[in-house]
Amino acid sequence: MAVLQRALGYEFTDPGLLTMALTHRSAGHGNNERLEFLGDSIVNHIVAEALYKRFPESREGEMSRMRASLVKGDTLAELARELNLGDALVLGPGERKAGGYRRSSILADALEALAGAILLDAGYEKCRACVLAWFDDRLEQLLVGDAGDIAGKDAKTRLQEYLQGRGNPLPDYDLVAVSGDDHDQQFTVACRLSKPQLVAEGVGKSRRKAEQAAALDALQRVTTHGR
């Protein structure tokens, strides 16, 4: 539970809410269905608010498609796996034996339940901060006009598809620097394109995040400036 709470970015005042959020209905009473109902609403609201502020020129339809790509079950399950949420789930014997801790629907529901539990434990602002941190990478990877076909794809994938569509070589990613203490490292990665010739850099708390940031910078430059 301590490891999970560090990953969530929140330590519960009421541990019972955390336990309830992680308890699947197969385990009996005191499960997370009611918290999931609450969390579904709050996650949708927080993501919608974030999109409204980030994309002031986007129309309602674009924002709706972007929100749908971010809060759909598959995306929530991916986030839950990144947080290693499955390791902490409380499942009934049958569901546990069937591998329920890997099931996307169960993981997605539990993540929503956790959002609902944080809301009850600490209020809206703390819940909002946690949810935005969970979605941070995916929000950063969205570009205005990307709603629709590619809203759910990360920046590295979009850059690769952009280059392939024009018959250009794929980019190379090089680790430029690692700074900071072991528990708070910062990675700098260079994304190098040979055609068009361009070097973009990205910074992140992990090499993966830095690569995504570099790819996003490169993609914005080639699409905005025709480079």
Side-chain angles (χ1 to χ4, degrees):
M1 290 298 189
V3 172
L4 175 61
Q5 288 182 98
R6 284 196 295 272
L8 293 173
Y10 180 72
E11 184 173 347
F12 278 82
T13 302
D14 180 359
L17 281 170
L18 174 58
T19 300
M20 185 182 295
L22 296 170
T23 303
H24 186 252
R25 64 177 178 270
S26 63
H29 296 297
N31 60 60
N32 63 11
E33 287 185 319
R34 284 170 53 81
L35 285 175
E36 177 206 336
F37 167 79
L38 181 61
D40 174 69
S41 296
I42 198 64
V43 168
N44 270 274
H45 173 83
I46 291 168
V47 170
E49 180 187 25
L51 293 171
Y52 181 87
K53 291 179 177 179
R54 283 174 182 253
F55 303 106
E57 304 300 323
S58 291
R59 296 181 179 180
E60 183 272 339
E62 289 179 317
M63 290 190 295
S64 292
R65 287 190 290 274
M66 283 192 283
R67 181 181 62 179
S69 76
L70 290 169
V71 302
K72 66 183 180 181
D74 287 346
T75 304
L76 295 175
E78 287 174 6
L79 284 169
R81 290 188 181 97
E82 290 169 11
L83 296 167
N84 293 318
L85 189 53
D87 295 341
L89 290 175
V90 181
L91 305 169
E95 193 63 64
R96 187 166 58 247
K97 189 177 295 184
Y101 61 93
R102 294 191 300 265
R103 200 184 308 278
S104 291
S105 59
I106 291 177
L107 290 168
D109 291 348
L111 187 70
E112 289 179 332
L114 281 166
I118 294 171
L119 177 68
L120 294 179
D121 199 53
Y124 175 75
E125 289 302 326
K126 186 59 184 180
C127 180
R128 177 177 177 273
C130 289
V131 171
L132 288 178
W134 301 345
F135 282 92
D136 182 58
D137 281 356
R138 287 163 175 80
L139 285 167
E140 287 297 329
Q141 289 159 14
L142 291 175
L143 295 173
V144 176
D146 277 353
D149 292 340
I150 60 175
K153 297 179 182 178
D154 63 33
K156 288 180 68 175
T157 301
R158 300 206 308 268
L159 178 61
Q160 178 177 315
E161 291 180 352
Y162 178 90
L163 295 171
Q164 286 178 325
R166 287 155 181 78
N168 295 342
L170 296 180
D172 291 317
Y173 294 92
D174 298 318
L175 182 62
V176 175
V178 180
S179 59
D181 298 329
D182 289 344
H183 67 280
D184 188 28
Q185 289 186 323
Q186 182 167 276
F187 295 76
T188 302
V189 167
C191 173
R192 305 181 191 278
L193 276 62
S194 57
K195 182 180 180 182
Q197 287 193 341
L198 154 62
V199 178
E201 286 195 354
V203 177
K205 294 292 186 181
S206 68
R207 180 166 181 167
R208 183 181 67 83
K209 291 183 177 181
E211 288 180 353
Q212 292 289 353
L216 179 59
D217 182 37
L219 183 62
Q220 289 174 325
R221 288 163 63 179
V222 296
T223 57
T224 303
H225 303 296
R227 295 198 53 189

